[in-house]
Amino acid sequence: MQIKQSLLYKINNGNFLPGDKFYSESELKKEYNVSSITVIKALQELTQEGYLVRYQGKGTYVSKGKKAKVVRFSDQENHQGMQESVRVISVDKIRDPRISKELKIDEQESFYLIKRVRMIEDIPLLVQYSYVLSEFIKEEDITDLNAFSSIYEKIKNDFHINLFQSDSKEVTEICFPTPSKESTLLEIEDNEPTAFIRRHTYLLGKRVVEYIETYKRWEYFSNKIEPL
């Protein structure tokens, strides 16, 4: 642990730049007068935590990732000033083993799928599939599609749970080509890409309350990362 903390201090205080070759095992053994096992353990932990990258036959290098840096990550709304609306396509109670894994529930347990298209003016901006635990949707309301234009607002009103402030985890990938069903809903060509966004929203205790899959038109997708 002392060796690990000493090496971490050197990494964080500019002794090494991202991408620099790091000490070899033999150099560390000599500098700290310890065994190979101790050196390897320290290097392994720093590698697992993202500070170092080890290449077979080449050695150990300082990671180029900005480990332990606090940043602000935000969507760039490049359609500001345009009128937004939501069209709810359907609300259905379903079972699907793939989605059950995302919601961390039993495969035999039902949940709700809410399909929506978000519009800006008359342009389909994104197609969104929201999978919500059944206990947070009132079954008697599912025929009123307009009531689900804002799922979080409805859950807040029905159950006094504010998901707007809940923790979430989001992953964005490029989807190419976009599936034909989503291409049709977005009114784009089949050979156009989209931003495919997966998000889990959590209640206290890290329980997944909602899992979302979104296809967003590529020309309206932009993110900004800046230091705090």
Side-chain angles (χ1 to χ4, degrees):
M1 184 59 69
Q2 290 175 339
I3 294 171
K4 176 185 173 184
Q5 292 304 317
S6 174
L7 296 176
L8 190 56
Y9 178 85
K10 293 180 180 182
I11 293 171
N12 288 332
N13 284 275
N15 295 51
F16 294 89
L17 295 176
D20 280 355
K21 188 173 177 60
F22 200 59
Y23 298 118
S24 67
E25 291 178 16
S26 60
E27 288 172 332
L28 292 175
K29 282 172 57 182
K30 183 177 180 180
E31 180 174 349
Y32 292 100
N33 193 27
V34 293
S35 68
S36 296
I37 294 175
T38 302
V39 166
I40 291 171
K41 179 67 173 174
L43 292 175
Q44 283 178 339
E45 290 195 8
L46 289 171
T47 301
Q48 290 168 358
E49 293 173 12
Y51 294 100
L52 298 175
V53 181
R54 306 187 75 185
Y55 298 103
Q56 186 70 33
K58 292 185 178 180
T60 303
Y61 292 80
V62 178
S63 173
K64 295 181 180 180
K66 294 183 178 181
K67 183 67 178 175
K69 299 291 184 181
V70 180
V71 299
R72 178 187 292 112
F73 186 92
S74 57
D75 287 331
Q76 297 299 288
E77 299 290 351
N78 51 9
H79 50 81
Q80 292 183 2
M82 302 176 72
Q83 174 119 22
E84 291 191 44
S85 61
V86 175
R87 177 164 62 93
V88 181
I89 299 174
S90 62
V91 180
D92 298 295
K93 195 171 189 178
I94 66 169
R95 292 187 188 127
D96 184 328
R98 181 180 73 85
I99 303 301
S100 294
K101 290 181 181 178
E102 302 292 346
L103 291 171
K104 300 186 184 304
I105 60 176
D106 188 89
E107 291 185 0
Q108 299 305 311
E109 188 174 339
S110 299
F111 50 86
Y112 281 95
L113 164 59
I114 302 159
K115 298 180 185 179
R116 298 180 297 171
V117 177
R118 189 174 299 275
M119 312 283 293
I120 47 171
E121 305 291 354
D122 58 349
I123 301 170
L125 173 66
L126 57 85
V127 176
Q128 193 166 75
Y129 302 93
S130 297
Y131 304 94
V132 183
L133 296 179
S134 59
E135 65 194 86
F136 296 103
I137 300 294
K138 292 184 176 181
E139 190 164 2
E140 62 269 25
D141 292 343
I142 65 174
T143 56
D144 182 10
L145 298 184
N146 290 332
F148 293 89
S149 58
S150 174
I151 299 171
Y152 286 9
E153 194 67 43
K154 179 162 178 53
I155 290 176
K156 183 179 179 181
N157 292 335
D158 290 346
F159 300 97
H160 308 290
I161 297 174
N162 185 6
L163 294 180
F164 292 106
Q165 301 299 321
S166 293
D167 289 340
S168 63
K169 181 174 68 175
E170 186 172 301
V171 176
T172 301
E173 302 167 336
I174 300 302
C175 179
F176 179 79
T178 302
S180 59
K181 180 173 64 175
E182 284 69 38
S183 295
T184 300
L185 289 170
L186 288 171
E187 298 177 10
I188 61 175
E189 300 296 328
D190 287 341
N191 61 352
E192 289 191 61
T194 46
F196 178 57
I197 306 161
R198 296 181 290 115
R199 190 176 81 216
H200 297 80
T201 303
Y202 302 92
L203 293 174
L204 291 176
K206 295 300 181 183
R207 184 186 181 198
V208 181
V209 63
E210 175 198 44
Y211 170 64
I212 295 177
E213 293 183 343
T214 300
Y215 294 85
K216 187 174 184 177
R217 290 177 71 132
W218 65 269
E219 67 267 40
Y220 291 98
F221 176 75
S222 178
N223 284 327
K224 180 180 179 182
I225 301 175
E226 56 188 336
L228 290 177

